[in-house]
């Protein structure tokens, strides 16, 4: 058998970018996934590559979280059957809502997101698939939302992001469809988007293969790491003996960590999308409606509505009705937004850490086993950024991020 330097388990946006970064450092890499690339959570995101980022704890504070989760019209809810398994995560989340923690996590997320696009450029060079660089809009639906936006925008600006409040005339000129929503809008200039996130990941995987990588369909059953450092990946079809393993299985990472005695605080935060019955060009850039927890985003067929936060333990049952109800509320303001005939509501599980900051680490006491996950709402934005941090870690290059992105930060 040919020598394998590294196996990356998981071909979502995080795993494929990680594999590309390791390959760039001269390693022979195989990606194993139970299905084609980009069919997990990375399939149906809103396609935004954002240069800024806030943790969820900046929006849902510990004291108002129960009300938010119970309110019928809230964009956030919980799978009640999962609650007993979410308690320890919930305690860590509550700690992450302390003002000093929110400030620290906001600064770190902005610092990482600032390199979102340039990291893709560094990884892909001339092979970078098409990315639309038209910014994105946050539309504010009430005067109180505008006031909150002014304060968030000053934080974005203090971290170096180019954002500005638009006049109504500017907003309608940019996106005539939001004519009926004109209370105010923020324009995030350096944001970009892709119109087909799954195809984007597929193209990255193609580049990985063209550069000599192997992509194999394999469901990984267990990962064992011996005291002498050897790692064995046992798959449904074959066993593998690489020099090192990177787990990038999104919300499901803990399943493969069981035999290593390590567990990271990670839950699944389901989001949903549905294709809308509109033509391509209906909107030119993603339009976020923060108070409704949804993003109206350009897609190959026209546009999608994507979003919501439905918390549970990995594998919990989806409730597509949540998106149908949210869409009904949005249609009161933009009646043209009907689901496309015959299109099902899709849902995917975001890997969510308590502080919304990803985890990139070497598994304690297992020197050849690494984890990269926990990107929550920002996997497409931060995929290439964390890939480069992971490659530094794996190749022993000193990085200032080792403690900030390690799961040991939760104690
Ligand atoms: C509605 C919605 C909108 C979003 N919008 C945005 C956005 O606009 N911008 C942004 O940056 N982010 C967005 N996100 C978040 C982003 O999609 C996620 O952070 C990202 O997809 C996580 O990628 P991942 O590679 O970690 O996980 P996944 O894409 O889930 O990949 C994990 C892979 O591991 C594989 N796997 C799991 N277990 C095994 C096993 N045992 N053996 C083999 N393979 C296995 C799965 O098949 C899967 O392919 C959104 C998410 C949702 C749900």
């Amino acid at each position: 058998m040919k020598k394998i330097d590294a196996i990356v388990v998981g071909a979502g946006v995080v795993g494929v970018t990680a594999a590309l970064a390791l390959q760039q450092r001269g390693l022979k890499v195989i990606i194993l996934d139970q299905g084609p690339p980009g069919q997990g959570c990375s399939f149906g995101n809103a396609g935004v590559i954002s240069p800024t980022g806030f943790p969820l704890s900046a929006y849902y504070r510990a004291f108002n979280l129960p009300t938010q989760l119970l309110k019928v019209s809230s964009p956030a809810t919980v799978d009640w059957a999962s609650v007993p398994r979410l308690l320890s995560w919930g305690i860590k989340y509550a700690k992450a809502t302390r003002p000093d923690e929110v400030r620290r996590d906001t600064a770190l997320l902005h610092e990482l997101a600032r390199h979102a696009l340039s990291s893709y450029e560094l990884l892909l060079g001339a092979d970078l698939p098409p990315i639309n660089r038209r910014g994105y809009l946050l539309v504010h639906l009430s005067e109180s939302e505008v006031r909150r936006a002014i304060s968030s925008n000053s934080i974005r600006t203090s971290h170096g992001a180019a954002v500005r409040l638009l006049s109504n005339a500017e907003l309608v000129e940019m996106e005539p469809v939001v004519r009926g929503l004109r209370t105010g809008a923020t324009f995030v200039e350096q944001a970009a988007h892709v119109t087909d996130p799954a195809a984007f990941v597929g193209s990255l995987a193609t580049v990985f293969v063209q550069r000599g990588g192997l992509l194999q369909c394999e469901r990984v059953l267990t990962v064992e790491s011996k005291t002498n450092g050897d790692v064995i990946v046992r798959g449904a079809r074959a066993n593998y003996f690489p020099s090192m393993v990177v787990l990038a299985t999104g919300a499901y990472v803990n399943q493969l960590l069981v035999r290593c005695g390590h567990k990271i605080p990670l839950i699944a935060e389901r989001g949903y999308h549905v294709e809308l019955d509109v033509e391509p060009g209906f909107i030119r850039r993603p339009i976020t409606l923060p108070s409704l927890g949804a993003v109206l985003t350009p897609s190959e067929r026209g546009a999608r509505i994507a979003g919501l936060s439905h918390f549970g333990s990995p594998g919990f049952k989806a409730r597509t009705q949540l998106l149908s109800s949210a869409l009904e509320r949005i249609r009161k303001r933009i009646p043209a937004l009907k689901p496309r005939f015959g299109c099902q509501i899709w849902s995917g599980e975001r890997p969510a850490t308590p502080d919304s900051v990803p985890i990139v680490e070497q598994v304690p006491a297992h020197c050849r086993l690494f984890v990269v996950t926990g990107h929550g709402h920002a996997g497409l934005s931060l995929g290439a950024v964390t890939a480069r941090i992971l490659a530094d870690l794996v190749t022993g290059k000193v990085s200032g991020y080792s403690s900030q992105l390690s799961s040991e930060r939760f104690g």
Side-chain angles (χ1 to χ4, degrees), residues 194-230:
V194 298
T195 50
D196 187 339
F200 181 73
V201 180
S203 305
L204 301 188
T206 303
V207 175
F208 166 76
V209 172
Q210 283 163 352
R211 292 180 178 177
L214 268 177
L215 178 64
Q216 213 141 300
C217 185
E218 176 76 90
R219 174 164 175 71
V220 173
L221 305 174
T222 60
V223 176
E224 290 158 36
S225 162
K226 311 261 183 208
T227 41
N228 65 359
D230 288 352

Side-chain angles (χ1 to χ4, degrees), residues 9-16 32-50 218-221 248-253 255-256 269-273 295 297 306-308 346-351 372-382:
V9 189
V13 68
V14 171
V16 176
L32 303 179
D33 197 299
Q34 59 205 356
Q39 300 298 303
C41 184
S42 304
F43 178 84
N45 58 53
V48 182
I49 300 176
S50 173
E218 176 76 90
R219 174 164 175 71
V220 173
L221 305 174
T249 48
Y252 289 83
V253 146
Q255 285 185 352
L256 296 180
E269 182 193 344
R270 258 187 208 284
Y272 298 81
H273 87 231
V295 188
T297 191
L308 302 185
W346 170 90
S347 92
E349 297 169 73
R350 302 179 187 98
V372 55
T373 187
H375 294 66
H377 286 238
L380 182 64
S381 306
L382 299 183

Side-chain angles (χ1 to χ4, degrees), residues 147-223:
R147 280 194 295 278
R148 279 199 299 275
I150 290 171
S151 131
S152 306
N153 287 348
S154 74
I155 296 173
R156 290 185 176 101
T157 312
S158 73
H159 291 296
V163 293
R164 62 190 170 95
L165 271 182
L166 298 183
S167 68
N168 282 339
E170 285 175 303
L171 172 61
V172 174
E173 194 187 324
M174 258 187 201
E175 296 292 351
V177 72
V178 295
R179 183 169 280 115
L181 305 176
R182 292 183 292 169
T183 309
T186 296
F187 182 47
V188 183
E189 274 183 49
Q190 293 141 341
H193 74 272
V194 298
T195 50
D196 187 339
F200 181 73
V201 180
S203 305
L204 301 188
T206 303
V207 175
F208 166 76
V209 172
Q210 283 163 352
R211 292 180 178 177
L214 268 177
L215 178 64
Q216 213 141 300
C217 185
E218 176 76 90
R219 174 164 175 71
V220 173
L221 305 174
T222 60
V223 176

Side-chain angles (χ1 to χ4, degrees), residues 13 17 20 24 49 115-133 192-194 199-208 210-211 380-381 384:
V13 68
T17 48
L20 280 162
Q24 208 172 47
I49 300 176
H115 303 291
L117 263 181
S118 60
S119 298
Y120 276 111
E121 286 161 352
L122 285 168
L123 271 191
L124 277 306
D127 298 322
L128 184 66
I131 290 180
N132 305 287
R133 295 163 199 251
H193 74 272
V194 298
F200 181 73
V201 180
S203 305
L204 301 188
T206 303
V207 175
F208 166 76
Q210 283 163 352
R211 292 180 178 177
L380 182 64
S381 306

Side-chain angles (χ1 to χ4, degrees), residues 30-375:
I30 297 189
I31 304 178
L32 303 179
D33 197 299
Q34 59 205 356
Q39 300 298 303
C41 184
S42 304
F43 178 84
N45 58 53
V48 182
I49 300 176
S50 173
T52 78
F54 286 90
L56 272 187
S57 49
Y59 303 108
Y60 301 114
R61 296 298 166 94
F63 66 87
N64 67 9
L65 191 60
T67 330
Q68 287 292 339
L69 295 178
L70 288 166
K71 206 166 76 182
V72 177
S73 62
S74 169
T77 187
V78 70
D79 172 55
W80 296 107
S82 299
V83 166
R85 274 159 289 152
L86 304 186
L87 286 179
S88 135
W89 187 95
I91 292 167
K92 293 180 176 66
Y93 179 87
K95 285 187 187 154
T97 63
R98 291 194 301 229
D100 54 331
E101 303 277 331
V102 173
R103 266 195 298 280
R104 198 196 54 198
D105 296 336
T106 302
L108 181 54
L109 286 171
H110 274 80
E111 187 183 318
L112 297 173
R114 200 167 47 234
H115 303 291
L117 263 181
S118 60
S119 298
Y120 276 111
E121 286 161 352
L122 285 168
L123 271 191
L124 277 306
D127 298 322
L128 184 66
I131 290 180
N132 305 287
R133 295 163 199 251
R134 296 192 196 130
Y136 85 91
L137 286 167
L138 295 127
V139 174
H140 316 303
L141 301 180
S142 65
E143 290 304 331
S144 63
E145 262 193 63
V146 175
R147 280 194 295 278
R148 279 199 299 275
I150 290 171
S151 131
S152 306
N153 287 348
S154 74
I155 296 173
R156 290 185 176 101
T157 312
S158 73
H159 291 296
V163 293
R164 62 190 170 95
L165 271 182
L166 298 183
S167 68
N168 282 339
E170 285 175 303
L171 172 61
V172 174
E173 194 187 324
M174 258 187 201
E175 296 292 351
V177 72
V178 295
R179 183 169 280 115
L181 305 176
R182 292 183 292 169
T183 309
T186 296
F187 182 47
V188 183
E189 274 183 49
Q190 293 141 341
H193 74 272
V194 298
T195 50
D196 187 339
F200 181 73
V201 180
S203 305
L204 301 188
T206 303
V207 175
F208 166 76
V209 172
Q210 283 163 352
R211 292 180 178 177
L214 268 177
L215 178 64
Q216 213 141 300
C217 185
E218 176 76 90
R219 174 164 175 71
V220 173
L221 305 174
T222 60
V223 176
E224 290 158 36
S225 162
K226 311 261 183 208
T227 41
N228 65 359
D230 288 352
V231 244
I232 308 171
V233 175
R234 296 195 192 280
R237 297 168 185 213
N239 295 332
Y240 306 80
F241 305 90
S243 301
M244 68 183 78
V245 175
V246 175
L247 299 180
T249 48
Y252 289 83
V253 146
N254 279 320
Q255 285 185 352
L256 296 180
L257 284 171
V258 170
R259 294 199 177 202
C260 306
H262 186 49
K263 188 170 181 197
I264 59 179
L266 193 75
I267 63 167
E269 182 193 344
R270 258 187 208 284
Y272 298 81
H273 87 231
V274 71
E275 284 288 334
L276 298 169
D277 191 13
V278 296
E279 295 303 312
F282 176 73
I283 49 170
R284 298 188 66 238
R285 54 182 65 72
I287 302 172
T288 303
L289 304 165
S291 57
L292 301 176
V295 188
L296 186 58
T297 191
S299 72
E300 285 298 291
R301 298 174 74 180
R304 279 174 175 173
I305 191 88
L308 302 185
S309 293
H310 186 193
F311 298 94
S313 55
F316 75 97
K317 201 161 171 275
R319 265 170 61 204
T320 54
Q321 181 56 36
L322 292 171
L323 187 69
S324 310
S325 312
L327 184 56
E328 279 311 306
R329 285 190 288 278
I330 296 168
R331 286 192 65 198
K332 291 199 177 120
R333 295 168 186 269
I334 315 180
L337 303 185
K338 289 197 294 284
R340 186 177 286 276
F341 182 73
C343 284
Q344 304 281 325
I345 294 179
W346 170 90
S347 92
E349 297 169 73
R350 302 179 187 98
T353 59
D355 57 6
S356 307
V357 173
I359 286 170
V360 184
E361 67 178 3
Q362 181 215 301
V363 175
H366 297 275
C367 58
R368 299 196 193 168
L369 188 53
F370 299 84
V371 172
V372 55
T373 187
H375 294 66

Side-chain angles (χ1 to χ4, degrees), residues 21 25 108 112 115 119 358-361 372 382-402 405:
R25 307 286 170 106
L108 181 54
L112 297 173
H115 303 291
S119 298
I359 286 170
V360 184
E361 67 178 3
V372 55
L382 299 183
V385 180
T386 51
R388 297 182 60 234
I389 295 171
L390 173 89
D392 283 346
L393 185 67
V394 165
T395 54
K397 205 167 146 191
V398 179
S399 145
Y401 293 113
S402 346
L405 300 186

